[in-house]
Amino acid sequence: MIKTLEWTSQGVRLIDQTRLPMEEVYVTCTTYQEVATAIRDMVVRGAPAIGVAAAMGIALGVQQSTATDVSSLRNEFGQICRAMGETRPTAVNLFWAIRRMQQKFEALAPEGVRQIKVSLVDEAQQMLLEDIAANQAMGRHGAALMPSSGGVLTHCNAGALATCGYGTALGVIRAAIDSGKKLHVFADETRPFLQGSRLTAWELMKDGIQTTVIADNMAGAMMLQGKIKAVVVGADRIAANGDVANKIGTYSVAVLAREHEIPFYVAAPWSTVDMNTPNGEQIPIEQRSHKEVTHHAGKQVAPDGVLVENPAFDVTPNKFVTAIVTERGIARAPFSESLKEMAATSAALV
Ligand code: MRU
């Protein structure tokens, strides 16, 4: 099994996703600042993985603190949480994880510095286990939505590499294949960072799952030719009305799917659902370096001085979404109601 991230006695160990698929290299972040940089530079990426990496980074920072009383530790803890919160703005799992660590800190405060240090590490490790369990539950719910055979298109990487293991969208595909369905995955290459061709193709091939990489602009043609029976993607933040922020290009895929009457599914853990954000317009969209667009594999591919836009995510309006799969079950339109009902339930996962 791919170990996307793990807690070790030396620090937070990550598979370096900037170097895949050519090199499988692991890096160990030995300070919380190194974890924050790894998140910002996308050494670790994907909403659930970012959340758990941040939690481990916080636990690491607290462990290394020399504070001798809870009040000075709380000051340092605040600074560490702020550093994590400033890494990437769109994936709400990051803020969910920080809040969970803050709540844990306050619950432990009466027990003193030593206990806080130990228990925050436990909490981060628990989050990793819960994430894998949530993905497996999503797989169980979502497998039934997949066709019995044929092509399934995915965009970006919502697999083991984007989570603590198994994946969200790829978890649904894995579970469907395990249940006997004969699926063939079409992986959008996902310009400019190439999560589809570099990461999704890499992890699916490792599992022996039939995979075809296509450039992003080929999805429509594949749909028209009848090669795609369903689309399944992950999410970075789902608003209370079911609007979905995910990797740039997801919106175009959703519109194409509607035109070709192909179901468009979103798989994400409940920690990606942001009931405090009413709709997609309120979701902050990360803008990344223009260089990701003007350069490719170290080579310049656009003229000097040209204007560039590089939003890392887009928002797919809920009207294009057939269903949202979470570990709590499957939500369908009207999402304002189905997600509200789901918010009141909790999943027994393990
Ligand atoms: O910029 P990235 O690579 O972090 O973006 C990742 C995505 O958009 C994924 O689809 C999303 O985080 C879901 S991962 C289970």
Side-chain angles (χ1 to χ4, degrees), residues 42 45-48 50 88 91 155-159 162-163 167-169 193 195 233-236 246-247 267 269 286 288 312-313:
M42 294 170 68
R45 35 66 50 201
I50 290 172
R88 298 191 72 192
H155 189 75
C156 192
N157 171 265
T163 61
T168 58
F193 210 71
Q195 288 94 330
V233 297
D236 288 83
N246 190 46
K247 180 52 54 194
E286 177 185 5
R288 292 190 64 86
F313 304 96

